[in-house]
Each structure stands twice: as C-alpha cells, then as structure tokens.
C-alpha cells in the first residue's frame, strides 16, 4: 500500500487510539507505529503476511489493551511482547507458533487469549501465571496430553477442540474457576476422561463430541447426574 494511505491510517490512529490495517498483504509490522507507542489502545493487523514482530517496538505500547494478528505468518513471539502490562486481549489465531516466550506469564492484565490454528504441541505452562485470564482458545493445535499443571489455570473457559489429546490429568478438576471445557474432536477414550470432571469440578459445560467413545456411554458414568445438575442450573441462569 502507498505511503500516503499508511500515513492517513497513522494520523487517524493518533486521534482514536485504534490502528486497524487488515487484508493489505503487509509482510512486516509497520515501523510508522513507533510514533504512536504512547497512545494506541488497539492494534489489528489480521489477515496479512507478517512473519515477525519487531522486539524494539512491540514492547513500548504501554497503553495497548488489544492486539490482533490473526492469519499471519508468525513463527515466534519476542519476549518484549510480555512488557505490555495493560494488554487484555491477544488474538494470534492461524499463525505458525510452536511455543510462547518464557516470560509470557508477565502479561498480568490478560483476560482473553486466542491461539487457535497454530503448532503448539503442549499446554503452555506460562498460562498458569496469568491470574486474570478468563478465556483461552488452543483449538486446532497439536497438543497430545494435558499435564498436572493444568490444575493451576485460572480460566473460566478452555477450548481444546481439534487437537490430538489422548490423556488428561485428573488435576483439571481442581481448576478453581473452570466452567466450560471444550474437548471435541480429540483422541480420547472414555477411560481417559477423569470422572472427577463430572462429579468434583466447577465444570458445567463439557463438550466431548467426536472422540473415541459414544456420548451415551458418558451418560452412564458415575457423577454424570451431578454434572447435569450443574449444567441445568447454569442454563436456567442464562435463560
């Protein structure tokens, strides 16, 4: 795109605090944005071809609350991203990410994290340090098992649909706020689904269609009635 068009976007963003430039074939993060590090609250650069984020610039957006880079070509995130202490929403769906920076747990304001359609092979342990995280989407990755550390997650909703999960730690029942657990289209045998999810957890919506068992078998498990009581009570609350 031409420089004048980009300049116009930058000028608008200066007034609104919102910079949105989608579907423009951008191959790199616009360096012009470094002029706006102190007043941008939202950046949306989805549907481009950006391969990396500039470490020097990205950590300076001190007021940034929302960052969207869905449908790009990111393979790695710089540690400097974790300096964004006001960031509440981070959307990185459909990139090529294999892991998160070790300092990711420093994004202390983060509430919503979307990482669907990447190449993660494990549940990132850094997520357990995020005390305000409400919703995490890790669907369409390559995760094979859910380890004990999952019990420390503070999330309300965890989406693990369309992975390769065949094992889940019983500790998932210990998540203090987890209400919605999505496990559709994985590789779970019924014997690998901890029954405590049904009877001893906060979970009131469990989605497990498309695994290696019939849903009617789930209904025969001990604890299913207790789960249905929670499910029905929640349904009534939102009706």
């Amino acid at each position: 795109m031409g420089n004048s068009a980009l300049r116009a976007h930058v000028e608008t963003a200066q007034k609104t605090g919102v910079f949105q430039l989608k579907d423009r074939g951008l191959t790199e993060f616009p360096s012009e944005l470094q002029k706006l590090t102190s007043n941008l609250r939202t950046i949306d650069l989805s549907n481009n071809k950006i391969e990396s984020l500039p470490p020097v610039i990205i950590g300076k957006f001190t007021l940034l609350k929302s960052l969207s880079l869905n449908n790009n070509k990111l393979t790695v995130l710089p540690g400097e991203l974790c300096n964004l202490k006001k960031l509440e929403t981070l959307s990185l769906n459909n990139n090529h990410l294999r892991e998160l920076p070790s300092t990711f747990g420093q994004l202390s304001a983060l509430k919503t994290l979307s990482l669907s359609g990447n190449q993660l092979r494990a549940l990132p342990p850094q997520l357990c340090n995020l005390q305000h995280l409400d919703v995490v989407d890790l669907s369409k990755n390559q995760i094979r098992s859910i380890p004990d550390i999952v019990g420390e997650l503070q999330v309300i909703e965890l989406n693990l649909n369309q992975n390769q999960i065949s094992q889940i730690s019983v500790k998932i029942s210990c998540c203090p706020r987890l209400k919605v657990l999505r496990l559709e289209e994985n590789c779970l045998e019924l014997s690998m689904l901890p029954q405590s999810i049904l009877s001893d957890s906060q979970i009131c919506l469990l989605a497990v269609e498309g695994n290696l068992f019939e849903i009617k078998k789930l209904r025969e498990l001990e604890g299913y009635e207790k789960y249905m009581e929670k499910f029905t009570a929640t349904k009534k609350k939102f009706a």
Side-chain angles (χ1 to χ4, degrees), residues 75-132:
T75 54
V76 69
L77 299 174
E80 287 78 0
L81 178 74
C82 308
N83 296 337
L84 304 179
K85 298 291 187 262
K86 297 210 168 168
L87 194 67
E88 294 179 3
T89 303
L90 179 58
S91 295
L92 298 164
N93 297 326
N94 302 319
N95 279 280
H96 308 299
L97 298 168
R98 290 174 181 268
E99 59 184 7
L100 301 179
S102 59
T103 50
F104 199 81
Q106 293 174 13
L107 289 171
S108 50
L110 200 62
K111 291 179 181 176
T112 303
L113 174 63
S114 302
L115 286 162
S116 179
N118 278 279
Q119 294 169 18
L120 299 171
R121 291 174 178 270
L123 183 81
Q126 302 93 312
L127 303 186
C128 297
N129 298 326
L130 298 168
Q131 298 301 306
H132 300 290

Side-chain angles (χ1 to χ4, degrees), residues 93 113-116 135-139 141 157-160:
N93 297 326
L113 174 63
S114 302
L115 286 162
S116 179
V135 178
V136 175
D137 186 355
L138 297 172
S139 62
N141 277 279
E157 178 171 343
L158 179 59
N159 186 344
L160 293 162

Side-chain angles (χ1 to χ4, degrees), residues 127-173:
L127 303 186
C128 297
N129 298 326
L130 298 168
Q131 298 301 306
H132 300 290
L133 198 56
D134 291 333
V135 178
V136 175
D137 186 355
L138 297 172
S139 62
K140 299 180 184 174
N141 277 279
Q142 297 161 20
I143 299 168
R144 291 171 182 268
S145 65
I146 303 302
D148 287 352
I149 197 166
V150 71
E152 297 172 32
L153 272 181
Q154 297 295 319
V155 297
I156 296 169
E157 178 171 343
L158 179 59
N159 186 344
L160 293 162
N161 289 346
Q162 296 181 330
N163 277 279
Q164 298 158 19
I165 298 165
S166 59
Q167 286 184 310
I168 301 179
S169 166
V170 69
K171 298 278 188 193
I172 198 160
S173 309

